[in-house]
Amino acid sequence: MSSPGSLQQQRVSDVGERALIERIRARVPPPPAALVISIGDDAAVAVPDRGALQVLTTDALVEGIHFDRRFSSAVDIGYKALAVNVSDVASMGGTPRLALLSLMLPPALPLSDIDGLLEGLLLMAGECGVALAGGNITRSPGPLVIDVTAIGSVKPRKILTRGGGRPGDALYITGQIGAAAAGLEWLRTGAAEMDRLGSWRDSQSEGARVAAPDDAQMAECVARHCRPVPRVRLGALLGRNRAASACMDLSDGLADAVTQMAGAGGTGATLDAAVVPVHPGAAAWFGAAGRDPLIAALAGGDDYELLFAVPRRSRGRLRSVIREARGVQVTWIGELTSGGAVALSRGTVSEPLPGGFTHF
């Protein structure tokens, strides 16, 4: 049995702010040469990439809104907190370089959760070449909040925005849609069953969590929700090769992204229902519930794939990007139009796109 002072029972309030900072700093790899001053000072200092502009973005994950510890481990949460930010950098055609981490911690949070959060964040950082430059720790009287700021670089004239598309530009997406939304629904169903049986013991506990699905396709959906894979390399290639006229990530669903891209560029858009790639596990899940799998996938968020527009003159550049994309699936799904309508085409019938996720 663990002693009262063991790691398993220690909370963040037991060790204090300075010890937490030292605990984090001890886990972070040595900084790259461009990071002149890193964790431990009042601010970080970095040397910018020569001839490049900075891309800056921030996103917060709030317990109860963006994650549920009944089915997301601390490692998952840390991984996702950085992934959603580097996805934004990628959608701008940039390459992520640095990150700042702010933690708003309930006093009773287990110290082991801090280790898990950092493990997940550093795992994602290693995969996308990002250095943790600094951050902040503060007490939270309510939920756990993880706020990450990501900083990247992009060359002038190679920046991608939402509003650069023009009528006639073809629309493409990476990967498949609907997986994260289906995975989240599956996890919530399992969590509800745990609550019904009383097997979820304590919201602060790592000991009770929804088990992984047996079905391989649904397991992929769950993984896409818990640990999304940002398209960092492909986003940078689209900007570097000037293959795309507009780009954004699918944080709030493909339908929302198409609507926002068309609105920002003053265009309309038409999607071809026959070619939109829905993850097979998501299609099976939504279909079993009596829902239209395509509509559910279009409305679902958290995919963190990229939607981008390609002018006709840039199709050859896109082929070059796809060759360098290391097997990432890229699918034509429609085009931007001269009218203001945003629609889904099912043969000869058109219908409005569904809405996406909104906080309010």
Side-chain angles (χ1 to χ4, degrees), residues 262-263 266-269 337-343:
T267 73
T337 62
S338 56
V342 178

Side-chain angles (χ1 to χ4, degrees), residues 137-210:
I137 291 176
T138 189
R139 177 194 297 261
S140 169
L144 170 64
V145 180
I146 302 96
D147 187 22
V148 173
T149 296
I151 303 167
S153 63
V154 64
K155 296 289 186 180
R157 300 180 59 213
K158 297 188 176 181
I159 305 166
L160 298 175
T161 67
R162 299 179 181 186
R166 296 294 177 263
D169 289 359
L171 292 175
Y172 294 82
I173 61 168
T174 61
Q176 299 170 320
I177 64 169
L184 176 58
E185 290 187 8
W186 189 93
L187 288 165
R188 283 177 170 165
T189 300
E193 180 64 11
M194 287 176 66
D195 287 339
R196 187 184 71 81
L197 297 174
S199 55
W200 175 247
R201 296 188 297 275
D202 179 354
S203 64
Q204 302 291 342
S205 172
E206 286 284 328
R209 182 168 295 116
V210 177

Side-chain angles (χ1 to χ4, degrees), residues 42-136:
D42 285 355
V45 178
V47 178
D49 290 350
R50 178 174 294 182
L53 302 175
Q54 287 189 314
V55 183
L56 302 99
T57 187
T58 188
D59 235 318
L61 299 189
V62 180
E63 184 176 5
I65 303 296
H66 299 98
F67 63 88
D68 186 327
R69 279 188 281 159
R70 291 175 299 177
F71 47 75
S72 289
S73 69
V75 179
D76 292 338
I77 297 163
Y79 187 99
K80 189 171 185 176
L82 182 57
V84 303
N85 279 276
V86 299
S87 180
D88 281 335
V89 175
S91 73
M92 303 294 290
T95 300
R97 300 297 189 198
L98 303 172
L100 301 172
L101 172 65
S102 288
L103 297 172
M104 284 134 270
L105 307 174
L109 187 74
L111 195 57
S112 58
D113 278 13
I114 300 297
D115 294 336
L117 289 169
L118 192 62
E119 178 184 343
L121 186 140
L122 292 177
L123 178 61
M124 178 75 255
E127 292 177 5
C128 62
V130 168
L132 182 59
N136 183 58

